[in-house]
Amino acid sequence: MPPRSDEPRRDATGSRRGSVRGGAARGGEPRPPEPRTPEPRTPQSRTGEPPATGPRAGEPRGQGRSGDARTGQPRAGDGGGISDARAYTPRGRTIRESSDERGGQRRTPRAGRSGDPFRPALQVLDGGRAAANRAGRREAAPTGRTGVIRTVPATAAPDDDEFADPPAPRRRPGRTTPRRTDTPGRGAPRRTEAPRRTDRPAGRRPVRKPRRPPKLAEPRRRLRLGTALVLAVFAVIGIRLVVLQAVDTPAYAGGGVGNRLSRVELPAPRGSIEDRNGAPLARSVEARYVFVDPTLVKDRTETAKLLSPLLGIPVSELAEKMKRQGGLQFRYLARGVDIAQAKQIEALELAGIGTHRDERREVPGGDLAANLVGFTSPDMDGLEGLEARYDDVLRGQDGRWVYEAGAGDLDAPIPGGYSQTTAPRPGSSLVLTTDRDLQFQVQQILSRQMAQTRGAIGAAVVLDVKTSEVLAQASNPTYNAASPEQSRPTDREDAATSFVVDPGSVHKAITYGAALQEGVITPDSAWPVANTVTRGGVTFRDTHPAEGKKLSVAGMLAYSSNVGTIEIGDRLGPDRLIDYQKRFGLGQPTGEGMPGEASGRLLPADQWSGSSYGSVPIGHSVDATPLQMAAAYATIANDGTYVQPHLIKEVVGADGKRTPAAAPVTRSVLSPSNAAALRTLLEAVTTVDGATGLAAAVPGYRIAGKTGTGLRYVNGKQQPGEVGSFIGMAPAEAPRYVVAVFVWNPEGGGGAVVAPAFREMMGFTLRHYRVPPSRGKSPNFEVFPR
């Protein structure tokens, strides 16, 4: 068989005829039809057949369609389509021709369908089984005049599955090779050449399996998870709301209150200082303070003139305080002003002048016990004396009123606004052991006696023998505690605890007491006493020479023999003497309660010089305070038992609760018998003819005591003059009270003052406490026994 030509066959008119496209003859899958230009529909007759028409334009008569011209049926072998035709257009043109006329633009079937879905493309399909398989079992066109079957490409049914495979892209035809087919026609068989595809396999194209859609998440699980998350968020929000509404409410509600709060201090009354009977020695009273706002004062000179008579302050001083200094808006003009005077100032309605509640420390007695009590500052801070020592007890705890107020002209408490009041807590009161009446008399007596001297310093102490309570403690000079600024610092010192002196002969009672306790001497001891004695190159003399006569111990005390006392000290030795000095309370503060109490000084034995053996036993080279020496004599009067002297009896709280002071320190120094023997020997001082203490005798009472003449040292330097002293107890047979008087006179002669002062003080004390006079008389002492 001759080879077939690749050139399509042409008919008698010269038009090309294409082979039937598709691989149905080969058993392959029908190829998608080539795009065709949609043909306009022709009207049909009532019978449903198309009207008879002539040949189409541009087509030779009798040849534009394949098939039998007479019957309109397709020729045998044409496969049910137009023989050798590739495509058909409504105007009888091929797709190529139509494309040439439109400038070569070719329309795709998809574009044609999207442009006009009612004009389906025409495709020449081969009949038979292949066409049925490709077109989805379409019915054959009814036999008619025309042999052309107009078909509408099947539109894919919409796929609800969103994961279905997209349609395969349309494949453009590849190169084809002419295929010879026998198309049966009418009469003899006809051979035609059909294009054959060479770019795909001959067999049926495998159908692509659709992809399996991914496994979807479980909606119920997502719903439960979402619900849990939403509930958790709402729970967190709810908890936070509860915290804000319940827990943090005060913080947020009071966020802006701080800017509207005003604070008013409520001063706490300071505790009072009372004597043993409850009489006030110092107390706080309500008063007013006057202040000035310099920025509001219109005429400070005129204002000062109006205030000066009421405040008792010079006009120039007030005007100076009213002077403007920067933005200063507050300055005190006066503190502790009486309420009556404050009301008069308020009535003047002076611009920039105001008053406010204040507290003033009132001292009813003026200078009464001023050196003990001390004073306070205008702010009620203790500065000296007991006010300073017990400031933490006397000071109260101030209160405060915090309230919500407006601003400017509305600066007043807001009704219903924030308001909180902390009540002040008054301070506790001190109850002293002193007796106000006795204190007053002791001060008066000391002042009168010292009026004979100039520049002198005096101190007097009255002790209760059994308890060592300080019944009176006076100093001279003194001052008015209500106006401390008008006094000198030395006037405000308590001489009884700060005045350190060489006690002199009053120290001899300690030497004789130690000798009796150690058995060195007895009350009946006596020996010849020379007029002088030398120790370490220093000669010590007696003011009442014995001329070598035998002198009794009582005579040695009566005449204050230095030579006889030094011999007793030699028998004791320095160690035992120093030990008894400490037992009697020398060399350390008594702890009475006064601030800044001096401790005195004892000379250690290893520091004794040759002269110390003569000076220490007679009360020199020893530093002591009047209170320490008074406590030593109280030990002798108390049957040899030392009791720490003290000023504080009890503390009374703001609620009235009374707390006794700590128990005083006690210790045994002498035996009661030796103490009684020493008391008897000391009576010789006030009874023996020519004795040194006759001026201290109190009529009707047996007095036991000792005079002394000492020196004063300041910073290790001896001061001019001398220190006279007398310490005694009464009644001597059963002592109740001890009185000690010390006077330093820079001009000398202090001894002439102290004995009369003691007599007056002791006499008043005995009468004040109604102590009956002594029944018996003092014993007759043999001064120069044979």
Side-chain angles (χ1 to χ4, degrees):
M1 180 182 295
R4 295 178 181 178
S5 175
D6 292 335
E7 180 69 18
R9 297 180 60 185
R10 298 178 181 266
D11 58 12
T13 60
S15 60
R16 292 180 297 179
R17 296 180 181 177
S19 301
V20 178
R21 299 186 62 187
R26 292 175 175 249
E29 184 179 352
R31 185 174 182 179
E34 291 290 333
R36 300 288 188 269
T37 303
E39 177 182 309
R41 300 192 179 191
T42 57
Q44 297 180 355
S45 65
R46 293 182 179 179
T47 59
E49 296 181 0
T53 57
R56 295 180 182 270
E59 182 179 27
R61 183 177 294 271
Q63 295 183 5
R65 304 183 182 183
S66 63
D68 195 333
R70 292 176 297 175
T71 63
Q73 297 294 331
R75 298 188 182 97
D78 287 345
I82 301 175
S83 177
D84 297 330
R86 296 173 57 191
Y88 178 81
T89 62
R91 295 182 181 179
R93 302 188 182 106
T94 62
I95 294 177
R96 185 181 303 274
E97 292 170 351
S98 300
S99 299
D100 294 340
E101 289 182 5
R102 285 193 299 265
Q105 185 177 0
R106 186 176 182 180
R107 295 180 61 188
T108 64
R110 185 178 301 273
R113 285 196 302 271
S114 63
D116 187 0
F118 300 99
R119 298 178 63 187
L122 298 179
Q123 180 179 9
V124 179
L125 302 176
D126 55 345
R129 188 174 300 170
N133 292 336
R134 185 172 62 248
R137 302 182 63 89
R138 295 177 182 172
E139 294 182 358
T143 305
R145 182 175 296 177
T146 61
V148 178
I149 299 175
R150 297 180 181 178
T151 61
V152 179
T155 304
D159 192 356
D160 292 337
D161 192 351
E162 60 180 327
F163 299 97
D165 291 337
R170 182 171 181 177
R171 304 179 65 178
R172 300 180 67 88
R175 293 185 61 183
T176 59
T177 57
R179 181 181 178 186
R180 184 175 179 179
T181 61
D182 293 334
T183 304
R186 190 168 185 176
R190 188 176 180 181
R191 179 174 295 179
T192 60
E193 293 291 333
R196 184 176 57 186
R197 298 209 39 187
T198 60
D199 56 342
R200 60 181 177 181
R204 182 185 296 272
R205 185 174 63 183
V207 178
R208 179 183 297 176
K209 294 182 179 180
R211 290 185 301 174
R212 296 183 62 183
K215 187 177 181 181
L216 299 179
E218 178 63 34
R220 295 179 182 177
R221 182 182 301 174
R222 288 187 295 179
L223 181 60
R224 289 194 295 268
L225 179 60
T227 303
L229 291 176
V230 171
L231 292 178
V233 171
F234 275 99
V236 172
I237 295 174
I239 294 174
R240 182 56 180 163
L241 289 177
V242 171
V243 172
L244 292 176
Q245 292 290 335
V247 180
D248 296 341
T249 297
Y252 288 100
V257 176
N259 299 328
R260 301 188 300 274
L261 293 182
S262 296
R263 295 170 176 81
V264 177
E265 296 294 332
L266 304 177
R270 186 177 178 85
S272 61
I273 299 177
E274 306 171 354
D275 78 337
R276 66 186 301 113
N277 299 316
L281 300 176
R283 62 186 177 186
S284 295
V285 295
E286 184 178 355
R288 298 290 184 269
Y289 66 78
V290 182
F291 66 93
V292 60
D293 184 351
T295 62
L296 301 179
V297 176
K298 297 178 180 179
D299 188 345
R300 58 190 182 94
T301 303
E302 187 64 25
T303 303
K305 290 180 180 180
L306 295 173
L307 293 177
S308 180
L310 297 174
L311 298 179
I313 302 175
V315 175
S316 58
E317 184 177 346
L318 290 175
E320 182 67 23
K321 292 182 178 180
M322 296 179 190
K323 184 182 297 184
R324 295 190 180 185
Q325 294 182 359
L328 184 63
Q329 297 180 339
F330 180 90
R331 185 181 289 117
Y332 286 112
L333 292 181
R335 300 290 303 272
V337 179
D338 291 339
I339 297 177
Q341 294 178 346
K343 290 182 178 179
Q344 295 179 14
I345 295 174
E346 293 174 355
L348 296 176
E349 297 183 353
L350 300 174
I353 305 298
T355 63
H356 202 275
R357 186 184 184 282
D358 197 11
E359 182 181 0
R360 183 181 72 247
R361 200 66 169 168
E362 184 179 67
V363 183
D367 62 352
L368 182 64
N371 300 78
L372 290 178
V373 173
F375 59 92
T376 64
S377 68
D379 295 327
M380 295 293 109
D381 295 326
L383 299 181
E384 288 191 13
L386 296 176
E387 293 276 20
R389 173 65 177 79
Y390 294 95
D391 183 68
D392 55 341
V393 176
L394 295 169
R395 177 193 296 275
Q397 185 174 355
D398 293 342
R400 178 177 293 184
W401 178 31
V402 181
Y403 62 92
E404 192 174 358
D409 296 337
L410 300 178
D411 188 7
I414 298 176
Y418 177 84
S419 179
Q420 182 179 10
T421 302
T422 303
R425 295 177 56 187
S428 300
S429 298
L430 289 179
V431 178
L432 306 185
T433 59
T434 59
D435 186 323
R436 183 182 63 173
D437 295 338
L438 180 61
Q439 178 74 27
F440 176 77
Q441 288 296 331
V442 170
Q443 285 188 211
Q444 291 297 314
I445 294 170
L446 183 63
S447 179
R448 284 197 307 269
Q449 293 295 330
M450 292 187 60
Q452 306 172 18
T453 63
R454 292 183 303 176
I457 297 177
V461 178
V462 179
L463 295 179
D464 185 292
V465 169
K466 296 299 182 182
T467 62
S468 283
E469 292 179 344
V470 179
L471 301 177
Q473 187 166 306
S475 299
N476 190 276
T478 186
Y479 71 103
N480 186 353
S483 303
E485 65 279 356
Q486 300 177 1
S487 61
R488 297 175 301 176
T490 55
D491 297 343
R492 301 192 294 265
E493 293 180 356
D494 176 54
T497 56
S498 62
F499 189 45
V500 180
V501 298
D502 277 355
S505 294
V506 293
H507 180 272
K508 292 177 181 178
I510 296 176
T511 303
Y512 282 81
L516 289 171
Q517 186 68 22
E518 293 297 322
V520 173
I521 61 173
T522 65
D524 299 328
S525 297
W527 61 88
V529 176
N531 293 338
T532 62
V533 65
T534 302
R535 293 289 185 274
V538 178
T539 300
F540 297 90
R541 293 181 172 83
D542 284 341
T543 55
H544 293 76
E547 301 295 340
K549 296 179 183 181
K550 190 177 182 180
L551 188 64
S552 66
V553 175
M556 295 178 190
L557 285 173
Y559 296 137
S560 190
S561 173
N562 292 330
V563 176
T565 304
I566 291 173
E567 290 182 6
I568 295 175
D570 290 341
R571 297 178 184 181
L572 275 173
D575 292 333
R576 288 194 290 183
L577 180 58
I578 293 174
D579 179 54
Y580 276 90
Q581 287 176 331
K582 292 179 179 179
R583 290 187 184 185
F584 276 100
L586 303 186
Q588 58 186 352
T590 64
E592 175 198 36
M594 288 298 294
E597 181 183 2
S599 61
R601 183 180 65 90
L602 296 178
L603 188 64
D606 56 355
Q607 296 181 14
W608 280 28
S609 62
S611 63
S612 298
Y613 288 88
S615 62
V616 173
I618 62 176
H620 295 283
S621 300
V622 178
D623 293 336
T625 64
L627 181 62
Q628 288 174 330
M629 295 307 303
Y633 275 75
T635 302
I636 299 171
N638 192 30
D639 293 332
T641 300
Y642 174 87
V643 179
Q644 175 190 13
H646 51 281
L647 268 172
I648 308 302
K649 183 177 182 180
E650 60 184 1
V651 177
V652 180
D655 55 355
K657 182 180 180 180
R658 295 178 177 269
T659 304
V665 177
T666 61
R667 58 178 173 269
S668 177
V669 181
L670 303 175
S671 65
S673 59
N674 287 326
L678 183 58
R679 289 196 300 269
T680 301
L681 292 175
L682 289 173
E683 286 188 70
V685 177
T686 60
T687 59
V688 173
D689 292 340
T692 59
L694 293 177
V698 178
Y701 296 92
R702 293 170 60 181
I703 305 297
K706 185 69 182 71
T707 58
T709 301
L711 301 174
R712 185 188 182 196
Y713 291 87
V714 177
N715 297 327
K717 295 182 179 181
Q718 181 179 341
Q719 302 299 307
E722 61 183 15
V723 177
S725 59
F726 188 92
I727 306 176
M729 61 196 73
E733 67 277 12
R736 295 277 305 275
Y737 305 102
V738 170
V739 176
V741 182
F742 284 74
V743 174
W744 171 70
N745 187 353
E747 297 178 354
V753 176
V754 294
F758 170 85
R759 182 179 65 243
E760 291 187 43
M761 294 177 188
M762 180 60 78
F764 180 84
T765 301
L766 295 173
R767 292 190 300 271
H768 179 67
Y769 291 108
R770 300 178 181 181
V771 178
S774 300
R775 296 180 181 179
K777 294 183 179 180
S778 299
N780 293 324
F781 296 101
E782 187 176 5
V783 178
F784 296 101
R786 296 180 181 180

